[in-house]
Amino acid sequence: KNEVEQSPQNLTAQEGEFITINCSYSVGISALHWLQQHPGGGIVSLFMLSSGKKKHGRLIATINIQEKHSSLHITASHPRDSAVYICAVRNTGTASKLTFGTGTRLQVML
Amino acid sequence: NAGVTQTPKFQVLKTGQSMTLQCAQDMNHEYMSWYRQDPGMGLRLIHYSVGAGITDQGEVPNGYNVSRSTTEDFPLRLLSAAPSQTSVYFCASRSAGGPSTFGSGTRLTVV
């Protein structure tokens, strides 16, 4: 079993829909990251969080430390949100090691 | 700020050739890392550094060397390229407790 599991693996939505991507992890962490990768593109950090909730524009990230679970929500989705969304955790006590999920491929249709 | 700069963006090597992937950051970040990304798998850590002169192995270090002679630069060397090293390589840097900034990636094909 991977230390970081994401669901769903693939997601197709219509423009305007509310989207949720889930991330579960099995290790103690100091922080959890949500990353975005456009096709053929680089990786951009969306959020880094260790508790509670963060919001940036139409994106919201939440984390429940007790349940070892995080969600990334996209409100009023748009085709430009089409990308792979990656969850990564920084294990407790590791200096510079991120453990990554395999990503959720999101396609938002017009 | 340029952020994290990786070169080259694309490279084709023959089996047995050696090469160096360059990574430079201008944010004075202490931590730098190299990852590889393969289809169906999460990014995997190759090597990392917590400061100039300090490097350590990650999850998949075999066949790769690194050095960190300055804070800015963290090159990744492939000693004798193998087809199994065909991948997309990402360099990342961060400050202590901060989020990672990633380079744009190097797509390497070994034939």
Side-chain angles (χ1 to χ4, degrees):
Chain A
K1 189 180 188 302
N2 293 334
E3 291 182 346
V4 181
E5 298 274 359
Q6 287 185 238
S7 64
Q9 288 187 313
N10 295 284
L11 181 57
T12 301
Q14 296 296 315
E15 184 178 11
E17 284 186 9
F18 180 85
I19 290 163
T20 296
I21 299 170
N22 296 299
C23 176
S24 296
Y25 54 92
S26 57
V27 295
I29 69 169
S30 58
L32 182 143
H33 299 252
W34 281 103
L35 311 167
Q36 180 192 57
Q37 185 176 26
H38 282 285
I43 298 170
V44 174
S45 179
L46 298 175
F47 295 103
M48 182 180 75
L49 64 167
S50 55
S51 65
K53 176 180 173 178
K54 287 191 176 181
K55 183 175 188 292
H56 182 69
R58 295 179 295 105
L59 302 178
I60 302 166
T62 64
I63 188 169
N64 185 316
I65 297 295
Q66 287 72 29
E67 294 186 3
K68 294 187 172 162
H69 181 269
S70 176
S71 293
L72 176 68
H73 305 285
I74 305 174
T75 62
S77 59
H78 189 276
R80 64 175 174 268
D81 296 326
S82 298
V84 176
Y85 292 85
I86 302 169
C87 173
V89 301
R90 191 171 305 285
N91 298 34
T92 304
T94 59
S96 188
K97 300 180 183 179
L98 284 173
T99 303
F100 295 81
T102 54
T104 295
R105 186 175 300 275
L106 170 65
Q107 187 169 11
V108 182
M109 314 292 286
L110 283 169
Chain B
N1 282 346
V4 177
T5 302
Q6 279 185 244
T7 56
K9 292 192 184 302
F10 301 94
Q11 183 71 50
V12 178
L13 290 178
K14 293 183 179 178
T15 297
Q17 286 186 314
S18 62
M19 79 159 294
T20 299
L21 279 61
Q22 302 291 345
C23 176
Q25 53 93 8
D26 60 0
M27 298 170 284
N28 202 32
H29 285 170
E30 306 98 309
Y31 298 95
M32 297 187 74
S33 305
W34 276 102
Y35 299 93
R36 59 179 288 172
Q37 184 178 42
D38 300 295
M41 305 181 73
L43 281 82
R44 292 181 292 168
L45 181 66
I46 304 171
H47 285 284
Y48 68 98
S49 168
V50 300
I54 306 169
T55 64
D56 206 346
Q57 295 182 349
E59 185 183 351
V60 287
N62 292 341
Y64 308 94
N65 274 355
V66 292
S67 60
R68 185 95 180 270
S69 56
T70 66
T71 299
E72 293 78 19
D73 299 297
F74 191 45
L76 178 72
R77 297 183 187 84
L78 279 70
L79 309 172
S80 177
S84 61
Q85 294 178 304
T86 293
S87 188
V88 181
Y89 292 84
F90 287 96
C91 178
S93 74
R94 69 180 183 95
S95 59
S100 293
T101 299
F102 290 82
S104 56
T106 296
R107 187 173 295 272
L108 175 68
T109 302
V110 183
V111 298

